[in-house]
Amino acid sequence: MRLDARQFNLLAIAILVALAAHAPHLPLWIIAAMAFVLGARWLQRARRADLGAVPIWVRLPLTLALPAAVVAQYGNLFGREPGSVLAVGMLVLKFTESEKPRDARAAVTFACFVLMAALLFDQSLVMSGFVALALLPQIILLRALEPRDDLALKPAAATLADLRRGVPQAAFAVLGAAPLALVAFLFLPRLGEPLWGAPSPDQGRTGISDTMTPGGLAELIADDSPAFRVTFDAPAPPPPTQRYWRGLVMYHFDGTEWTHMPSPPVRDASPRFEALSAPLSYEIVLEPTQQRWLFALDLPLAAPNGAYRNAEFTLVNEKPVMDVTPYRVSSALRYRHDTLARHERQLALSLPAGYNPRLRALAAEWRSRYGEDREIVQAALALYNARFSYTLNPPPLGRDSMDDFMFETRSGYCEHFSSSFTFLMRAAGIPARVVVGYQGGYWNALGGYMVVRQSDAHAWSEIWQDGQGWVRVDPTAAVSPERVNLGSRAANAADAPWHGPEWLLALRNQWDIVNQLWNKVVVQFNALHQQNLLAQFGVDHAQWRSLAIALGAGSIVLVTLAMLWALRRDRDPGDAVDRAYRRLNRRLARAGAPRDEAEGPEAYLQRLRQRFPQAAREIEAVFARYVALRYASAQPDPAAARAFAVAVATLRVG
Amino acid sequence: MALAAAWRARRLRLVAFAERRLPALTHLRRPEALPIRLHQRRIYVLPTLFGGVFGAMLSVMALGALNYGNNPALLLTCLLGSIAFLSVLGGYRALDGLTLRGVHAAPVFAGDALQVELHFDPGNRAREALRAQLEDATVAFATARATPTRVVVGLPTQRRGLVALPRVRLWTSWPYGLFRPWSWLNPQVRLLVYPRPETFGPPPPESARDAGPRHLRESGDEYGSLREYRETDARRMIAWKASARLDRLVVREPEQIAGRELVFDFAALEGLDHEARIARLARWVLAAEEQHRPYTLATPNERLGPDVGTAHRHRCLEALALLP
């Protein structure tokens, strides 16, 4: 038995959606090539079905080209990306040889696997929703493979008819299976340790990196995806000017690039700073960064589990953050450092020789003119404020980039300002360093949390002041106060057309709540949540055994319910007259005179006459209609049946 | 292919084992009276080969999702597993409550296939993608709600006589082909198979006697040589006057044919073995019917005729079929 045109069309759709699920992360040319093969095969089958499967002399080169293409693109055959290309490619190749229902079933099986593989790249709500929808064509195809006798329609019309009829059926199947799926999902024991290696890092994502060059953050600022979300223990978030999420501290400057050098963990409990304000506690849910650093407001008082604090009091995770990772931190927003170690002071004053002579000269002049460090800082900030402008599209800079920036172009954004300011301070003999992280965050009042986006990436400076320790100075704020007060969005509005209008932002922030919920409830669900779930039912320390019991019990309940559904008898809905008569019976039963199971209309009417003497005439009229419709003719007149239904609806009993 | 064959063999062994061990199954081996209604105690379910492969793929997916701690993927796997598992119920509902009301088959000659008509009553449920299997022949059908449905399955025959209808296997792989619910029906039905007429042989013997029809004519019975009109009759043979009187079409038998009687006597065929005699008699019956000539069949048990027509033909062939 061969696939007919209708089944073949449905197969094409089923494979196409599986391909589409991988489109976001596959190179364009590979997607295009696969779509071409898919389309060519579909055309061939639609035009010349008699030719059968694509001959081996076409399929064999295609089969060999697939691994070649993977190697050409990725350099090897193994790993997550190459694997997904191979899987999708094999599915498309299966399509070229699909002629029988058996082939179609094999393709559906494999398409389900390919759809799952798409979720390994993107666990977001959108992708998960797409994959769930992509199941519908698979289900519709499987149904269409069962024998049917209504094949009179043309292929295209039959395909559409199948889809129209199949979508509700398939949706019913998916929704009906959802409770059982949920129970299985909740109680399926999770693996403590992976059986084989976790997927390779995802290079595609951008995030803050451990080097900073002028212009390097521009790409990040264009990225509007969430970096992390924060919920505070306090009801209100800190004010915008205090939302400095420190990530990396950079000491080393080679003339063009600031570099972060990993510093050793500070294991001893003794704090080297004094907290001057009450600790602020909050939880951060960090999106995957493939990097080890974590973010926290100012100085975290302790490191969360699985992470440590380093000498600069930034947080470092022990493993790269591959998944959405939650962690709790308490921070001091006001603090005083004790002392600056000698080597730290050296690091914080070092400058590459032979760069930016004019800036060095300016620093020397200021040093001789002003006695106090504070005055030098003031002078620098006043200079920024008076002469500089904030833009995301600064003019290019030459070899002495800081000289060019300070004396020629005078426009730029956070990286330029923090970089030049730090350079200037060091040249003037004030220990200074660059800090990279995020500044700001959108407070989602509806969801009660703050979302910090990649576009909030920021760089600022810290200078050492004896008696105070490291003090944050944000030169960008001197140029563009709204960058700090109103956030990156307000500051970049002129340069950043990718930020939509206000209402779009509101919509996006509400959408973010849903994503946040999805992340919290589904993506981050793990063995610990599982145990908490069972703990509510009095099971502490849920092990495989108790999980298996919960899984079994839940499944049995749901499967029993489903079996009751399956075993239920079909009620004969009857015709319109029957339905109206049943309705009449229900109304009379509510009025206090239910009909006996075996009571005929005449006997019932007798009883009703006595029960409702005042409405006897109306009731008699309705019953007369019923008797005439049901017993006087074999086929009741539709108009009379409708009139009877109306009479039932308008009858007033007692 | 080898895998499929092996799977098939294993499945058949498993089914045979289940039938040996399960009393509910073994009692279904005894013939039952019609109507037969399918219910949960006689519907059995096993996964198909596709179901097994799909299940294996689900296990791989679950393992992968668990290994990567990828919850959306695990949720997808659980969803697919639930959909697949619950599809058993869809298939079960396609069979549950289906009633076999009757079985009919027009007799055929031994060696031809009986066209067995199975009359199903679907009850108040539309049922899709059902399969009725009789020995090696399978017919797919669907039923609309409350619409009795007739399904015709070919059943090859070898021997004349009464054939007990073999067990009917009713199955479906609805809705996704993952599971196969099935039920055996063993209706107590015997179907008649006529003996196979011999292909070549001598023509029907002309009788020496000359009695019957002429005798009728002599007694003045004007209608003695009239008979019912058949579609193959030429128009000129129609006796219009008589037809008008009787209010139905009758034809006048040609004198020379109506005048002679054919007698096919089992005992007269000496020198042939038992089955060859039956085959020859069957051919003669058919030949006489072709010429519309009345004939008499004499078997060791009974004497039929003289007569001609469908009913007589059936009686004669049945008598031959049922000879020991």
Side-chain angles (χ1 to χ4, degrees):
Chain A
M1 198 171 81
R2 291 181 68 208
L3 293 171
D4 59 40
R6 170 184 65 100
Q7 292 165 333
F8 194 78
N9 287 345
L10 289 171
L11 175 61
I13 295 173
I15 291 179
L16 192 66
V17 294
L19 179 63
H22 282 266
H25 65 83
L26 291 187
L28 192 63
W29 72 273
I30 285 186
I31 284 286
M34 285 178 181
F36 173 76
V37 172
L38 196 77
R41 162 68 171 146
W42 183 81
L43 264 184
Q44 175 254 316
R45 173 77 193 227
R47 293 276 158 80
R48 292 292 306 273
D50 53 308
L51 291 180
V54 174
I56 187 72
W57 53 266
V58 178
R59 273 190 285 132
L60 190 65
L62 281 177
T63 311
L64 295 177
L66 177 64
V70 171
V71 170
Q73 176 70 30
Y74 297 104
N76 66 11
L77 278 176
F78 303 101
R80 202 164 48 146
E81 279 85 3
S84 78
V85 176
L86 283 178
V88 177
M90 272 153 63
L91 184 60
V92 171
L93 286 175
K94 180 74 198 169
F95 185 61
T96 62
E97 62 162 20
S98 285
E99 276 295 322
K100 294 184 175 152
R102 238 178 42 160
D103 298 323
R105 293 201 172 101
V108 166
T109 309
F110 201 57
C112 289
F113 178 78
V114 166
L115 284 173
M116 187 210 84
L119 290 172
L120 295 181
F121 292 89
D122 184 357
Q123 307 190 36
S124 71
L125 181 60
V126 174
M127 179 52 88
S128 307
F130 178 81
V131 167
L133 283 181
L135 288 184
L136 300 186
Q138 321 295 333
I139 293 174
I140 293 171
L141 171 59
L142 286 184
R143 274 181 195 268
L145 292 178
E146 292 300 308
R148 279 245 299 281
D149 37 11
D150 58 338
L151 296 174
L153 293 168
K154 283 215 176 79
T159 310
L160 282 179
D162 256 27
L163 285 176
R164 249 200 313 279
R165 188 173 41 177
V167 165
Q169 284 177 342
F172 174 75
V174 170
L175 292 178
L180 186 60
L182 214 58
V183 165
F185 171 75
L186 287 180
F187 298 119
L188 206 63
R190 302 304 202 265
L191 296 176
E193 287 288 314
L195 297 177
W196 67 89
S200 68
D202 181 352
Q203 273 86 19
R205 264 200 209 263
T206 60
I208 283 177
S209 78
D210 54 359
T211 59
M212 186 183 89
T213 50
L217 277 182
E219 198 187 330
L220 205 55
I221 289 173
D223 181 3
D224 219 13
S225 60
F228 53 88
R229 300 180 177 84
V230 197
T231 45
F232 295 94
D233 290 1
T241 49
Q242 290 187 13
R243 294 176 195 162
Y244 280 87
W245 309 93
R246 295 171 85 242
L248 292 166
V249 172
M250 296 176 176
Y251 278 106
H252 188 255
F253 184 57
D254 65 358
T256 51
E257 188 175 77
W258 289 90
T259 314
H260 164 76
M261 298 289 183
S263 59
V266 178
R267 295 284 186 204
D268 54 357
S270 64
R272 292 192 298 159
F273 64 88
E274 182 187 346
L276 298 179
S277 62
L280 180 70
S281 297
Y282 50 94
E283 187 184 53
I284 289 185
V285 180
L286 185 63
E287 295 284 322
T289 59
Q290 278 79 43
Q291 309 284 9
R292 290 175 57 199
W293 41 88
L294 306 178
F295 300 90
L297 281 174
D298 287 319
L299 298 192
L301 296 173
N305 282 338
Y308 61 82
R309 288 190 301 172
N310 60 18
E312 294 99 35
F313 297 105
T314 57
L315 297 175
V316 181
N317 207 23
E318 269 153 21
K319 284 178 292 193
V321 178
M322 307 306 292
D323 300 306
V324 173
T325 304
Y327 55 90
R328 280 196 68 80
V329 198
S330 291
S331 285
L333 299 190
R334 289 174 54 222
Y335 45 84
R336 184 162 58 209
H337 289 87
D338 297 346
T339 51
L340 184 64
R342 193 193 175 96
H343 71 278
E344 273 183 321
R345 175 177 292 271
Q346 257 172 10
L347 267 177
L349 284 172
S350 68
L351 284 175
Y355 280 96
N356 305 318
R358 294 172 67 188
L359 200 54
R360 280 171 183 267
L362 178 70
E365 184 205 324
W366 279 357
R367 176 44 74 193
S368 59
R369 192 191 315 167
Y370 307 112
E372 296 274 333
D373 287 356
R374 197 162 44 81
E375 287 172 319
I376 296 176
V377 172
Q378 290 300 334
L381 292 181
L383 178 67
Y384 283 125
N385 192 9
R387 300 268 184 83
F388 284 71
S389 63
Y390 181 92
T391 174
L392 281 180
N393 301 308
L397 305 172
R399 177 183 176 275
D400 292 319
S401 54
M402 293 303 105
D403 275 3
D404 289 354
F405 174 66
M406 287 302 284
F407 302 105
E408 308 293 335
T409 67
R410 290 189 174 166
S411 62
Y413 53 100
C414 55
E415 288 169 310
H416 303 81
F417 294 112
S418 61
S419 182
S420 58
F421 180 80
T422 308
F423 191 98
L424 188 59
M425 289 302 114
R426 286 188 180 182
I430 304 170
R433 59 190 189 184
V434 170
V435 183
V436 178
Y438 295 91
Q439 197 283 321
Y442 177 85
W443 177 246
N444 198 324
L446 190 60
Y449 68 93
M450 177 177 287
V451 52
V452 177
R453 299 180 186 277
Q454 298 292 0
S455 55
D456 292 318
H458 194 50
W460 59 93
S461 303
E462 285 177 350
I463 57 169
W464 181 267
Q465 296 286 281
D466 288 323
Q468 290 179 21
W470 288 107
V471 176
R472 178 172 64 233
V473 180
D474 188 352
T476 313
V479 182
S480 169
E482 58 270 25
R483 167 64 187 87
V484 173
N485 290 319
L486 301 178
S488 58
R489 215 186 112 69
N492 302 336
D495 298 322
W498 51 81
H499 294 299
E502 208 54 44
W503 63 268
L504 201 61
L505 180 77
L507 208 64
R508 232 179 26 222
N509 283 319
Q510 273 160 33
W511 173 236
D512 192 74
I513 297 181
V514 185
N515 278 314
Q516 158 88 333
L517 205 66
W518 174 255
N519 269 351
K520 254 204 159 95
V521 175
V522 177
V523 175
Q524 293 170 45
F525 188 83
N526 57 21
L528 201 66
H529 290 97
Q530 221 170 23
Q531 295 199 352
N532 291 342
L533 199 69
L534 282 181
Q536 292 175 7
F537 297 97
V539 182
D540 299 334
H541 307 294
Q543 295 304 315
W544 279 62
R545 235 177 77 106
S546 33
L547 282 172
I549 290 171
L551 179 59
S555 309
I556 284 170
V557 168
L558 289 172
V559 169
T560 308
L561 282 178
M563 273 167 70
L564 287 179
W565 170 80
L567 288 174
R568 83 189 192 284
R569 287 292 165 86
D570 306 291
R571 217 183 52 183
D572 183 358
D575 57 9
V577 177
D578 288 335
R579 283 197 300 274
Y581 188 57
R582 276 205 299 272
R583 183 168 175 209
L584 177 64
N585 286 340
R586 279 199 303 274
R587 296 197 57 187
L588 291 167
R590 272 203 302 276
R595 183 171 69 91
D596 287 340
E597 190 79 6
E599 202 170 20
E602 293 291 353
Y604 189 28
L605 180 59
Q606 281 297 334
R607 221 151 51 76
L608 292 170
R609 275 203 198 96
Q610 289 159 13
R611 182 76 171 70
F612 308 108
Q614 71 283 15
R617 188 176 297 245
E618 288 86 350
I619 295 176
E620 271 169 29
V622 172
F623 270 78
R625 279 179 193 271
Y626 175 67
V627 170
L629 279 168
R630 192 77 297 169
Y631 301 105
S633 62
Q635 197 64 38
D637 173 38
R642 273 198 300 279
F644 170 58
V646 171
V648 168
T650 54
L651 177 69
R652 303 187 74 96
V653 188
Chain B
M1 272 336 275
L3 184 70
W7 173 261
R8 194 188 173 119
R10 171 155 303 183
R11 202 168 52 75
L12 287 178
R13 266 214 304 286
L14 193 65
V15 169
F17 172 78
E19 287 186 19
R20 261 201 318 282
R21 298 303 300 267
L22 293 171
L25 269 178
T26 43
H27 97 251
L28 294 182
R29 300 173 79 92
R30 288 198 296 272
E32 323 158 70
L34 289 168
I36 304 172
R37 186 186 154 86
L38 298 188
H39 51 76
Q40 71 245 42
R41 293 193 46 202
R42 53 185 301 160
I43 298 175
Y44 297 86
V45 185
L46 276 182
T48 57
L49 173 64
F50 170 52
V53 172
F54 194 80
M57 179 57 90
L58 281 181
S59 327
V60 170
M61 285 167 65
L63 204 62
L66 283 174
N67 187 66
Y68 293 140
N70 188 314
N71 282 324
L74 189 63
L75 199 55
L76 173 77
T77 310
C78 290
L79 190 62
L80 274 172
S82 301
I83 291 172
F85 180 71
L86 292 177
S87 78
V88 174
L89 299 175
Y92 169 80
R93 267 179 76 75
L95 289 183
D96 183 37
L98 187 65
T99 309
L100 178 63
R101 289 247 175 256
V103 179
H104 304 287
V108 294
F109 297 102
D112 294 346
L114 276 165
Q115 298 301 307
V116 182
E117 290 179 11
L118 304 169
H119 295 263
F120 288 106
D121 177 2
N124 266 312
R125 189 180 291 174
R127 300 162 192 274
E128 296 199 66
L130 295 170
R131 254 68 65 94
Q133 185 182 359
L134 208 53
E135 313 239 285
D136 290 333
T138 305
V139 172
F141 65 105
T143 68
R145 204 166 64 82
T147 311
T149 305
R150 197 189 62 160
V151 178
V152 180
V153 193
L155 176 67
T157 59
Q158 274 103 37
R159 298 177 47 247
R160 68 184 169 82
L162 280 178
V163 177
L165 182 74
R167 290 193 299 166
V168 180
R169 184 156 174 261
L170 211 55
W171 59 277
T172 181
S173 49
W174 183 256
Y176 310 132
L178 295 166
F179 292 92
R180 177 170 305 168
W182 81 94
S183 185
W184 285 107
L185 307 180
N186 199 359
Q188 199 167 16
V189 172
R190 285 145 82 80
L191 304 167
L192 184 64
V193 178
Y194 294 153
R196 181 142 207 94
E198 62 177 2
T199 327
F200 301 107
E206 303 289 331
S207 169
R209 284 190 311 157
D210 231 15
R214 183 157 300 171
H215 170 71
L216 285 172
R217 276 189 81 77
E218 278 167 0
S219 69
D221 185 352
E222 203 182 333
Y223 306 118
S225 59
L226 295 180
R227 62 163 175 79
E228 295 277 330
Y229 170 77
R230 294 194 202 98
E231 271 186 305
T232 49
D233 289 331
R235 260 172 186 238
R236 60 184 165 71
M237 289 169 67
I238 297 174
W240 293 107
K241 269 191 197 163
S243 298
R245 230 184 357 256
L246 293 170
D247 211 18
R248 58 196 156 96
L249 282 179
V250 290
V251 296
R252 194 172 297 283
E253 294 274 359
E255 196 68 18
Q256 71 277 15
I257 291 178
R260 263 175 282 154
E261 190 199 337
L262 300 169
V263 176
F264 310 141
D265 191 352
F266 185 83
L269 291 173
E270 283 165 16
L272 288 174
D273 72 12
H274 188 72
E275 288 301 321
R277 286 184 191 188
I278 292 172
R280 175 156 301 169
L281 291 175
R283 186 169 69 82
W284 285 351
V285 166
L286 296 181
E289 279 292 333
E290 209 159 276
Q291 298 165 13
H292 308 307
R293 291 174 63 179
Y295 55 93
T296 304
L297 177 71
T299 68
N301 304 330
E302 55 194 332
R303 191 178 175 87
L304 301 165
D307 200 351
V308 69
T310 317
H312 184 55
R313 171 182 183 269
H314 173 69
R315 263 200 311 281
C316 293
L317 289 174
E318 184 180 26
L320 289 174
L322 298 180
L323 279 179

